[in-house]
Amino acid sequence: MIKVLKPGLQTTVQDQGRLGLYEIGMPPSGAMDQFALRVGNMIVGNHPNAAVLEITYIGPELIFEKDTQISLTGGLIPPKINGVPVPMWETLAVKAGDVLSFDFVKSGARIYLAVEGGIDVPLVMNSRSTYTLIGIGGFEGRALAEGDVLATGDLHERKVAAGTRIEESLIPTFGRSHEIRVIVGLCSYRLTEESKRIFLETEWTVTPEANRIGYRHKGQRLQFVEREQPFGAGSNPSNVTDLGYPIGSIQVPDGVEPIVLLHDAVTGGGYATVATVISTDLNRMGQIKTNEKVKFVSVGLEEALQIRKENQLVLNKIAENIASR
Amino acid sequence: MSKLHTRYEYGGDEFVFVQLSEAMSLEANFKGIAITRKLKERNLEGIIDICPANASYMVRVDPDVLHPDRLINELREIEDSIKDLDIEISSRVVDVPVLFEDPWTHEAVMMFRDRHQDPNSTDLEYSARINGYNSKEEFIGAIDAAPFLVSMIGFVPGLPWCFQIVRQEKQIEVPKYVRPRTYTPERTFGFGGAFAVIYPVQGAGGYQMYGIAPAPIYQKEQTLPDFQESIVFPQQGDIFRYRSITRDEYDAVRAEVEAGTFTYRKKEITFTPQEVLENPERFSEMVLRRLYHD
Amino acid sequence: MSKAIIAPLPGVFYRRPSPDQPEYVREGDQVNPGDIVGLIEIMKTFYELKAEESGVVAGFLVNNEDIVDAGQEIALLK
């Protein structure tokens, strides 16, 4: 059992997500940084889909009510146990009565707490992820609040020795400027050639509207190709006949501010989508803070699949690292 | 016969997005239904999502199992195989009661006049006028008269986009609000572009607001009989008849919903896109007869 | 010697609890640990920025409604 002394800014239970439900309008939810989720679970010997706590910007204060092992992965929000700094990306043993707290965020935006066995909340449509918009999944469908008590589950698969740490070179770091790789496509035919170029050349600034639903960016105005409005599309040049929005897709309502749709986004609507963040870089997207810089870099499908393979190789290497201990 | 032009696009490394037409039409929607249902039948390994939309659809894959280009080849093949839309669609026809000009959405309409194209009219008055109807009553009559095809589910869980089964020249079309509202009552019946919708939950919104449905289309508690299988009631391909009701009937349905006994009046139906496209009026009449008299 | 009050998270900085209310603190005001000096809005949440030490407000380094960074100095105490 883990008791919430202070909830932090927005701490939610997340796993790999509620997949396969776009058809009914349900977004995937799940951890914004799936790499950190995956590694966090490895370090405590959990099943890859065990639920963890996703902690954003300001950490909670939690008290452990029994001895267990934990890990902290993702962005650098320096963790402390009983007020003493502890390392991230390492198997940590905690004792009953230990208090976990956090310093102010140093880099990245989200840190993940994995606990042996996973956070135990009811499965809703095969996932423990919180989707706050309609209040399902996670802990009572909402972010944690003071006084909540979390149970741990039975998704523990193997014992990992305390002190097991992954190689420094495999740990991602996060600066303040980010290159996010995208595949240009979907309805990019709506943008003028010049605006496609501007979209890729601009250094965008992340606005305060940046959360699990999406990230909105400020920079340049984009223009759409003139047209006769197709029936049902809507009158704004950025409108299309309502269609599905892939996770990571980027739309530019009225050409003003590109929005990258993320894990809790709406699943469809009437804005032209012009590019999609590749699956590997969604993890990095989730570690970007308001006011940081983003450049969208165009890649082809084969390159995206190659990047995906390399990411998988890093995960395999980490798994070997841990198994060899 | 088709003037549609298909566009295949990648949505990152996990999605394939297929736009069947830039414009909405019954034909484009039927084509999407046909292709996505055929794809489902193929049971390809590596498919995570098949999400049909109004005049497009998208498919999510695990690209380690199914390469997006291989999927696109399959989709082209399916598209070729249904060229004449020679398929049967099995779905449901459903009676969906709506109380037009209700006090709750009227309050919301008045709250956001400053975000509307015409602050001096209600959403109904404005929509009736720009669509060439003499009165809002006549306009409500047009919505009530012919059923709608549920052409897409999405935005938030359960929201049905509905496209009326009438000839193109009789389609209603309205703009969205100039600036989106911050509040829309739960179960609001709204209209935007060429689509009628019901808002599953209270929230922001930009569609014109005409009324409210007494029965939910989304229920996370799953206590009502129609929600045993899924928290979401509408399915793409359903045919909804939005029936104008009185306040008394509204209150009666609400009471049934609260007692946990409400079920939608519905019938199974099988039809071909051809019979709809050839004569929408005749098809609509047949559907309504089947729903209320068979 | 001056001490800075630092924003622990990024967001929009506000000096007043709401537009029609006075500022939490002004230049020259005495503050004590725990006193609210402003709000930072992020992800539809308002974070109360508090003084951690006592002192007199020497000045603000950002304006009302500026977007601030995590780690940015917001006000100085003397």
Side-chain angles (χ1 to χ4, degrees):
Chain A
M1 306 278 251
I2 301 163
K3 195 169 168 193
V4 179
L5 302 176
K6 285 185 194 160
L9 185 74
Q10 192 198 42
T11 304
T12 55
V13 178
Q14 301 292 347
D15 59 14
Q16 290 179 322
R18 195 167 281 110
L19 303 186
L21 295 167
Y22 269 100
E23 183 179 21
I24 65 161
M26 182 77 74
S29 299
M32 293 269 275
D33 182 347
Q34 292 278 331
F35 181 90
L37 164 76
R38 190 67 186 277
V39 176
N41 274 328
M42 283 183 196
I43 299 177
V44 294
N46 278 350
H47 185 276
N49 200 24
V52 304
L53 292 185
E54 177 177 278
I55 293 159
T56 307
Y57 290 144
I58 291 190
E61 205 172 296
L62 307 169
I63 181 163
F64 294 91
E65 298 188 332
K66 65 171 194 200
D67 297 2
T68 186
Q69 297 203 128
I70 64 168
S71 70
L72 293 143
T73 55
L76 179 55
I77 305 181
K80 298 178 289 189
I81 291 178
N82 303 326
V84 180
V86 291
M88 290 175 61
W89 308 93
E90 179 175 322
T91 315
L92 303 171
V94 294
K95 297 242 166 294
D98 280 356
V99 173
L100 174 67
S101 63
F102 296 85
D103 271 344
F104 294 148
V105 56
K106 290 277 184 296
S107 67
R110 293 177 171 83
I111 188 169
Y112 293 82
L113 167 67
V115 184
E116 222 174 65
I119 304 293
D120 190 27
V121 293
L123 277 171
V124 177
M125 288 174 263
N126 286 320
S127 169
R128 293 184 172 81
S129 291
T130 316
Y131 176 39
T132 54
L133 185 83
I134 60 167
I136 65 160
F139 190 89
E140 297 177 1
R142 57 169 171 81
L144 298 186
E146 188 181 325
D148 288 346
V149 178
L150 301 166
T152 52
D154 56 3
L155 292 176
H156 188 230
E157 294 183 325
R158 72 192 72 82
K159 189 77 194 168
V160 178
T164 302
R165 192 182 153 69
I166 66 171
E167 256 175 61
E168 200 69 38
S169 65
L170 301 176
I171 297 173
T173 55
F174 306 103
R176 299 189 41 82
S177 299
H178 308 265
E179 290 202 341
I180 295 293
R181 291 163 292 193
V182 301
I183 295 182
V184 174
L186 304 173
C187 303
S188 61
Y189 67 89
R190 289 293 306 128
L191 286 179
T192 62
E193 286 307 314
E194 186 181 14
S195 280
K196 274 186 214 167
R197 190 174 54 73
I198 292 172
F199 172 70
L200 294 170
E201 282 174 0
T202 301
E203 188 172 61
W204 300 94
T205 303
V206 178
T207 71
E209 270 188 75
N211 52 39
R212 289 186 48 83
I213 294 171
Y215 273 48
R216 195 183 270 264
H217 301 75
K218 253 194 168 69
Q220 303 250 17
R221 177 120 204 188
L222 301 181
Q223 304 294 335
F224 293 88
V225 176
E226 278 185 43
R227 65 166 180 197
E228 196 180 314
Q229 186 217 304
F231 181 76
S235 49
N236 191 283
S238 64
N239 284 148
V240 289
T241 296
D242 302 65
L243 40 74
Y245 294 154
I247 183 171
S249 64
I250 302 172
Q251 54 181 249
V252 199
D254 201 26
V256 180
E257 291 177 341
I259 302 170
V260 179
L261 293 182
L262 295 169
H263 296 247
D264 289 354
V266 294
T267 63
Y271 288 112
T273 45
V274 299
T276 312
V277 176
I278 65 171
S279 58
T280 309
D281 282 2
L282 283 176
N283 300 326
R284 183 162 288 270
M285 200 73 223
Q287 293 294 357
I288 299 176
K289 282 194 285 292
T290 289
N291 232 7
E292 293 182 352
K293 305 290 181 195
V294 170
K295 231 177 143 185
F296 298 111
V297 178
S298 171
V299 296
L301 176 64
E302 288 313 319
E303 196 179 345
L305 291 174
Q306 188 55 38
I307 293 162
R308 187 183 169 98
K309 277 206 185 78
E310 283 158 17
N311 184 57
Q312 191 56 48
L313 288 177
V314 171
L315 286 169
N316 293 347
K317 216 164 171 186
I318 292 171
E320 282 165 26
N321 252 224
I322 294 169
S324 68
R325 283 285 309 248
Chain B
M1 94 187 212
S2 177
K3 295 184 293 289
L4 305 184
H5 165 69
T6 307
R7 190 180 266 127
Y8 290 88
E9 297 275 344
Y10 304 125
D13 47 333
E14 293 188 350
F15 288 82
V16 169
F17 169 76
V18 184
Q19 190 175 51
L20 298 165
S21 164
E22 287 183 42
M24 180 58 188
S25 65
L26 287 167
E27 188 193 356
N29 193 256
F30 285 138
K31 196 169 170 185
I33 294 180
I35 296 170
T36 52
R37 288 191 179 191
K38 293 260 183 217
L39 178 64
K40 225 172 250 183
E41 285 166 17
R42 292 200 178 188
N43 255 324
L44 296 181
E45 213 185 317
I47 288 185
I48 296 171
D49 273 288
I50 299 175
C51 180
N54 288 317
S56 62
Y57 63 92
M58 66 181 189
V59 182
R60 185 180 194 178
V61 297
D62 175 348
D64 305 333
V65 180
L66 179 59
H67 192 288
D69 287 337
R70 228 191 84 209
L71 173 67
I72 290 175
N73 287 339
E74 293 268 348
L75 295 173
R76 285 184 194 278
E77 206 182 289
I78 295 174
E79 191 178 351
D80 283 343
S81 77
I82 53 113
K83 265 218 168 75
D84 307 319
L85 281 179
D86 187 16
I87 54 149
E88 279 197 336
I89 297 172
S90 293
S91 72
R92 309 174 296 180
V93 46
V94 186
D95 173 72
V96 183
V98 174
L99 176 61
F100 286 87
E101 299 197 275
D102 64 292
W104 305 282
T105 56
H106 183 73
E107 193 190 344
V109 163
M110 297 320 287
M111 221 188 291
F112 295 103
R113 279 347 274 159
D114 59 327
R115 301 182 185 212
H116 195 271
Q117 287 79 2
D118 182 358
N120 299 317
S121 307
T122 64
D123 292 9
L124 262 173
E125 288 163 351
Y126 167 76
S127 302
R129 193 175 69 237
I130 65 164
N131 279 282
Y133 290 90
N134 292 319
S135 66
K136 59 187 183 197
E137 287 74 19
E138 220 177 83
F139 182 71
I140 293 169
I143 292 172
D144 176 273
F148 289 71
L149 176 70
V150 176
S151 52
M152 170 176 177
I153 314 282
F155 186 62
V156 293
L159 184 141
W161 269 277
C162 302
F163 191 66
Q164 201 167 24
I165 304 177
V166 293
R167 288 177 197 283
Q168 199 75 14
E169 59 272 19
K170 286 179 74 181
Q171 289 285 351
I172 294 165
E173 198 181 16
V174 295
K176 296 170 192 167
Y177 270 48
V178 177
R179 284 182 298 129
R181 297 177 301 272
T182 50
Y183 167 72
T184 311
E186 181 184 311
R187 291 178 278 105
T188 290
F189 175 76
F191 220 108
F195 301 99
V197 301
I198 292 181
Y199 285 80
V201 289
Q202 179 187 312
Y207 280 24
Q208 308 283 333
M209 295 184 286
Y210 302 155
I212 195 161
I217 47 151
Y218 152 86
Q219 197 204 25
K220 72 172 172 185
E221 299 78 15
Q222 296 187 275
T223 54
L224 289 170
D226 285 325
F227 296 86
Q228 295 298 304
E229 304 282 309
S230 170
I231 63 170
V232 159
F233 177 73
Q235 296 167 7
Q236 198 221 23
D238 281 348
I239 295 172
F240 280 9
R241 193 276 174 112
Y242 289 113
R243 182 170 53 88
S244 175
I245 59 167
T246 62
R247 177 63 194 262
D248 283 348
E249 185 174 350
Y250 178 89
D251 291 337
V253 174
R254 282 307 300 157
E256 280 183 53
V257 169
E258 266 144 41
T261 56
F262 174 81
T263 53
Y264 280 103
R265 173 194 273 267
K266 53 189 170 304
K267 290 272 169 67
E268 301 289 324
I269 188 174
T270 299
F271 61 94
T272 64
Q274 262 93 357
E275 56 182 308
V276 185
L277 297 171
E278 272 162 25
N279 195 336
E281 289 86 1
R282 198 174 58 204
F283 178 77
S284 291
E285 277 168 35
M286 184 276 285
V287 160
L288 295 182
R289 217 168 33 240
R290 169 130 181 77
L291 177 58
Y292 298 110
H293 303 297
D294 279 7
Chain C
M1 188 190 109
S2 64
K3 297 160 282 191
I5 296 176
I6 309 252
L9 77 177
V12 183
F13 177 70
Y14 296 99
R15 288 190 56 185
R16 306 161 190 269
S18 67
D20 52 357
Q21 281 178 286
E23 290 157 343
Y24 283 106
V25 292
R26 290 189 191 152
E27 237 171 85
D29 285 356
Q30 167 74 35
V31 294
N32 295 310
D35 285 357
I36 300 172
V37 301
L39 298 175
I40 297 173
E41 185 190 9
I42 191 74
M43 301 196 303
K44 299 190 172 119
T45 308
F46 289 92
Y47 174 85
E48 293 177 339
L49 184 63
K50 292 173 180 168
E52 292 187 342
E53 296 170 80
S54 15
V56 172
V57 178
F60 277 84
L61 304 169
V62 296
N63 295 315
N64 190 46
E65 292 189 33
D66 275 0
I67 296 175
V68 300
D69 278 334
Q72 188 173 341
E73 294 187 347
I74 303 298
L76 291 175
L77 299 182
K78 57 185 178 194

